[in-house]
Amino acid sequence: VIPMKLRNPAAIRIRGLRVALYTDNGVVSPVPEIVAAVKEAAAALRNAGAQVTEARPEGLAEAAESAFALMSGDGGATLIRVLERWGTDSANSEVRASLEQLTPMATGEFTALLERVDRAREAMLPFFDRFDLIVSPVNVELAVPHGTAPARVYPGLSYTVPFNLSGWPAGVVRAGANGNGLPIGVQVIAAPWREDLVLAALTTLESALGGWKAPRIV
């Protein structure tokens, strides 16, 4: 890991920043409430002086597919160890059950996957020649009951895992709420080593959109 010094978010000025906005990644579409929250967040940055344009990086679908394959390339063994080590597993774990059905990749197949990962990262990076920040959804569904995972939630991870794969800094902040007062988050992403841009944008959004508010628990 490069010993990169963290820049000061307080030194960032939102005015003039080039912000890319997208509400659909081409893999799966969010519900209207999430789309509205993302657009409201983009409007808040525009009101702060940012230049907001609708655009998304190339290769998000390919990056998401590569990331999911990379996580399961060992047949789920690593993730199962994580579940066991941190006590987040249970006898009826839906996650564990899905992991136990995986088959490890053959060596040649796995090295080919690593090549696909590098190509996906390479395809995405030029996007930051034109933009400083990205604003997007976090997933495609509103808050779901604990212990459940509707069919669209896992594909909805395609809004975050490409940026885990690329290593780009990203953060999530509340930008709205559903009918029960549960928060709707939006994601802000920047180029490598620009955590300061992400933190500055998140601070602006919290200030403009009200920040965290206690939900009504029923």
Side-chain angles (χ1 to χ4, degrees):
V1 176
I2 296 175
M4 181 68 67
K5 183 177 180 181
L6 179 64
R7 305 183 194 190
N8 183 8
I12 296 298
R13 298 294 175 263
I14 300 299
R15 180 169 299 280
L17 290 181
R18 303 164 300 171
V19 177
L21 158 71
Y22 70 89
T23 57
D24 193 310
N25 67 356
V27 178
V28 58
S29 301
V31 296
E33 294 91 336
I34 292 176
V35 172
V38 173
K39 289 183 176 180
E40 186 175 4
L45 293 176
R46 184 183 290 113
N47 291 338
Q51 303 170 17
V52 179
T53 305
E54 290 198 20
R56 70 187 187 205
E58 295 291 332
L60 288 177
E62 293 79 5
E65 180 183 0
S66 297
F68 286 131
L70 191 63
M71 286 188 286
S72 60
D74 62 354
T78 298
L79 295 179
I80 288 174
R81 286 198 302 272
V82 171
L83 292 175
E84 292 174 344
R85 178 172 182 179
W86 300 109
T88 54
D89 193 24
S90 68
N92 298 316
S93 170
E94 178 183 347
V95 174
R96 185 185 184 98
S98 64
L99 293 173
E100 289 176 340
Q101 296 176 17
L102 298 175
T103 301
M105 290 182 178
T107 301
E109 184 181 2
F110 186 73
T111 55
L113 171 61
L114 295 180
E115 294 171 6
R116 294 209 317 268
V117 166
D118 283 341
R119 288 195 297 269
R121 289 171 171 163
E122 183 180 15
M124 292 171 63
L125 191 57
F127 192 75
F128 282 117
D129 292 339
R130 298 187 290 128
F131 295 100
D132 303 300
L133 289 169
I134 303 170
V135 176
S136 82
V138 182
N139 204 296
V140 297
E141 289 290 342
L142 301 173
V144 299
H146 182 67
T148 68
R152 282 167 31 93
V153 168
Y154 287 137
L157 295 174
S158 59
Y159 281 87
T160 54
V161 296
F163 307 115
N164 294 336
L165 188 79
S166 66
W168 297 355
V172 175
V173 68
R174 178 193 183 279
N178 68 8
N180 293 324
L182 294 175
I184 301 174
V186 298
Q187 180 176 218
V188 176
I189 306 119
W193 315 118
R194 294 312 308 266
E195 287 86 352
D196 56 326
L197 289 174
V198 173
L199 293 171
L202 296 179
T203 299
T204 298
L205 293 178
E206 279 197 322
S207 176
L209 303 177
W212 181 84
K213 297 177 181 178
R216 298 187 301 274
I217 304 298
V218 294

